[in-house]
Amino acid sequence: MDSLTGPRRYGPPSPQDRRRWHAATVVRQTARTVQSALEVDHASVRNIRDVCEHAAECLPTPVLRRAAAMIVRPDVRGPERTRAVAALAAELGVTERYVAVQIGFARRLYQTSWRILRAGMRSAR
């Protein structure tokens, strides 16, 4: 929290500062995903297919949402994944490396929102 709330230090951030900022970003984006999943209208989630579609839509950024929809949800692997990463990078105007790095985080957030929506679907019955 010191690197977030303390006085600004000029110059490049230390590795410890980078880890702290990354941790804060992960917590914030996870919270936004959970909030979005909790706000989904349970009446619109009728089956597992709906759960899967809505789970991808709950992710907090366009890159994460598209990665979940194009790569994580259909479980794309191998050469298909390489092509999907290249296509997504071109579509979003980012590097392939950036997309590749975001896939793991998109997968974890997708799984989180999927579990919340699935639990909501069960409780709505």
Side-chain angles (χ1 to χ4, degrees), residues 22-39:
H22 178 72
T25 300
V26 167
V27 168
R28 181 173 180 264
Q29 290 185 334
T30 302
R32 288 177 62 198
T33 299
V34 168
Q35 180 181 8
S36 295
L38 291 172
E39 291 174 351

Side-chain angles (χ1 to χ4, degrees), residues 84-103:
V85 167
L88 185 55
E91 175 187 324
L92 297 171
V94 297
T95 65
E96 290 178 30
R97 170 125 174 87
Y98 180 76
V99 171
V101 167
Q102 296 302 308
I103 292 171

